Amino acid sequence: MTKLLKTPAGWPTILLPRAGVADTTDLDAAVAVGAFDGLRRAIRDLGAFAVVAAVGAARLRGRGGAGFPAVDKWRTARSVDAPRRYLVANGYGADPASQTDRMLLLQNPFAVIEGAAIAALAIDASEAIIAVRAEDVDVIARVAAAIGSATDAGFLGPDVLGSGHDIEMSVRPVQGAYMLGEETVLLKALAGKRGQPEQRPPHPAERGLDGMPTVVHNVQTLAALPWIIREGSEAFAAIGATDSPGTILVNVRTPTGDGVAEVPVGTTLRDIVKLGGKLPAGREIKAILVGGPSGGLLPAELLDTPYDFGPLRAAGAHVGSGSIVVVDDRADLVELVGVLTRFCSTEACGKSIPCRIGTRRLAEIVGRREAGLARPTDGRDAIDLAADIVASALCDHERLATLPLTSGMRYFGSEFEDARRPAPVRTEATHG
Ligand SMILES: Cc1cc2nc3c(=O)[nH]c(=O)nc-3n(C[C@H](O)[C@H](O)[C@H](O)COP(=O)(O)O)c2cc1C
Ligand code: SF4
């Protein structure tokens, strides 16, 4: 079971309360420790323009994986002349191996709700939707209860805190596979349609739900907003990495444990991995899979890489789903890459041919390696194919699906080059 990991005393806390809270839907208890102070300040002291300016000055980047500056979407949505706008909180959590967003929704639902209300105010949206997995009844019940009490208290609903601004908020269960977390697919699901990713532009911030400007943010991005408005942009910008301030949730899995922790952006992988606990006696780290099923495999020599959007991308991984899996020296990396590449290929929606066919071919190449039947040209073919797939990307899945193999070949080349390796004994898949 995924647990809340203990972080060192003195590490900043923005998203998750440090101590376990008995009832996270108790509004009075939450208000007593500052919940909805940010919304009050946004309405009474700032107004929409100043909120946008404050979040811009805080340099908040989206936590949904790509690290896009949050206010850029807000400015786009505001610039479109439209009768209404929508705010969507992406709490789908596409990667089942990462419980970061689920943990946030369970442990601090009011932060997501307050953040969604602040963002709705900033983009002049009167409807905000928190999208979650349909099968996760605990999350649905908790978020629905928290929205209910926040509405009763006047933090949501008509004329929020006397501002003249209405914010109708709801929790919406959605059901689907991995691709449903992608924002254009999610918007189709919310509209009751089956979907595949859409070519951009137009971006959802220009044309989304009902053809109206729609800002989609990961729930963590939204949960940071109350703190920024309450404590100030400078205080936020002083935490974490200069270019990517704030904190972020990570799901660290080691051979001995699995848990979620809040860490300042820019914390080294080494310090994050330590939070996950020790390896079994006598074992050493062989690789760290960073970013989920389409993540990159990094070697132990890169443990000092900052957990931050730019540095991870430069190393051949990405923030992605927030998942960090520590693999010890018993692991067969070719087999692991096989599992991941097949997952990415199976989950590709099939809309674009380079992704549909290309990821299948990549999976075949890894499959040949796994079976000890590699061809001499396979390495070169895989690199060329990955480059072609990335160059024709219609959605981010296509670009990222190549990462397990390309990072594996880059850092663990000898394991991938040995064409005569014996067929391995299959072990259980650890992802997806
Ligand atoms: C295959 C795929 C799956 C995704 N799954 C999620 C998800 O589960 N949750 C999420 O917030 N973003 C997910 N994203 C990213 C979203 O498309 C979108 O960029 C994000 O929700 C925007 O939030 P942000 O501005 O806070 O980063 C996924 C993207 C891809 C390509
Ligand atoms: S790139 Fe892949 S996952 Fe994305 S739309 Fe095309 S086929 Fe679907």
Side-chain angles (χ1 to χ4, degrees), residues 412-431:
F412 306 94
S414 58
E415 302 204 17
F416 287 81
E417 272 156 23
D418 183 6
R420 289 156 296 133
R421 62 198 292 283
V425 178
R426 287 225 163 272
T427 56
E428 205 183 317
T430 49
H431 309 280

Side-chain angles (χ1 to χ4, degrees), residues 217-231:
H217 277 312
N218 175 263
V219 284
Q220 289 184 55
T221 315
L222 295 167
L225 297 175
W227 199 97
I228 293 172
I229 300 300
R230 210 175 54 229
E231 308 291 333

Side-chain angles (χ1 to χ4, degrees), residues 334-386:
V334 178
E335 186 190 5
L336 175 58
V337 166
V339 170
L340 299 169
T341 308
R342 279 190 289 277
F343 176 86
C344 290
S345 171
T346 309
E347 294 297 322
C349 74
K351 183 171 182 174
S352 40
I353 292 167
C355 174
R356 187 175 71 220
I357 308 291
T359 55
R360 220 179 283 162
R361 292 285 166 267
L362 278 187
E364 283 170 13
I365 291 175
V366 192
R368 281 201 291 275
R369 298 261 159 197
E370 283 179 87
L373 300 172
R375 298 171 188 162
T377 54
D378 273 352
R380 190 68 258 158
D381 288 351
I383 289 167
D384 289 349
L385 185 53

Side-chain angles (χ1 to χ4, degrees), residues 47-140:
F49 281 108
V51 168
V52 176
V55 176
R59 301 193 298 279
L60 175 66
R61 286 174 179 267
R63 305 304 199 228
F68 198 67
V71 288
D72 286 7
K73 291 185 186 179
W74 299 10
R75 293 197 170 106
T76 302
R78 288 183 63 97
S79 72
V80 178
D81 192 17
R84 60 189 181 282
R85 295 177 181 77
Y86 294 98
L87 187 279
V88 172
N90 189 345
Y92 179 65
D95 173 8
S98 178
Q99 298 287 302
T100 52
D101 297 350
R102 178 172 197 272
M103 192 68 88
L104 174 63
L105 288 163
L106 289 174
Q107 295 294 324
N108 204 1
F110 287 123
V112 177
I113 290 167
E114 185 184 357
I118 292 170
L121 185 82
I123 63 164
D124 195 21
S126 53
E127 192 173 341
I129 297 166
I130 302 180
V132 299
R133 278 181 177 264
E135 64 270 30
D136 205 336
V137 289
D138 291 346
V139 168
I140 297 168

